[in-house]
Amino acid sequence: MLPGNINPRQMKAMMKKLGMQVEQIEDVQSIVIKTPKGNWIFEAAEVSSMTMQGQTTYQVTGTPRFEAAVAEIPNEDVAMVAVQANVPAEKAKAALVASKGDIAEAIMHLTQ
């Protein structure tokens, strides 16, 4: 029972009168929010949508996990660092991953 002895049917009628419509989105398997630093992943999330005055908003309920973005290192950058630092490509790539793709930092790290 809702506060003030309002039952769910009455609440739905009041919301409709105010122009609000709330719907549960069924069978959601996952929600992914992508950011430059990584992704927030909600598994088995509960999602509802609310439309009011032509604007729809979504509410996601669940426990997210964060997966940090993996820097994509172009082969050209690996080759350049390997030549400049005089190291094998695998070592150059590891330095570029550690420096988040910063070529100058990777070379400096390998030549010190």
Side-chain angles (χ1 to χ4, degrees):
M1 187 63 78
L2 296 169
N5 295 327
I6 299 174
N7 67 41
R9 194 175 336 164
Q10 289 172 318
M11 178 59 87
K12 200 168 191 173
M14 286 173 43
M15 290 172 62
K16 187 175 181 179
K17 199 176 212 181
L18 292 171
M20 294 173 62
Q21 181 180 356
V22 177
E23 293 181 29
Q24 188 73 19
I25 298 174
E26 300 294 329
D27 300 325
V28 174
Q29 294 178 355
S30 67
I31 299 289
V32 179
I33 300 172
K34 296 182 178 189
T35 71
K37 293 182 180 180
N39 299 329
W40 291 96
I41 301 170
F42 294 78
E43 297 291 339
E46 292 184 22
V47 181
S48 58
S49 67
M50 181 175 74
T51 304
M52 183 172 172
Q53 297 178 350
Q55 179 89 18
T56 302
T57 58
Y58 297 88
Q59 179 175 334
V60 178
T61 305
T63 303
R65 73 176 190 279
F66 183 76
E67 290 183 358
V70 177
E72 291 190 32
I73 309 296
N75 290 335
E76 298 82 21
D77 292 358
V78 173
M80 183 189 316
V81 171
V83 168
Q84 292 293 318
N86 196 28
V87 297
E90 297 80 26
K91 197 168 184 178
K93 185 166 185 170
L96 281 163
V97 169
S99 68
K100 297 181 180 152
D102 186 316
I103 294 170
E105 184 180 327
I107 294 169
M108 287 175 46
H109 174 74
L110 290 168
T111 57
Q112 288 181 348

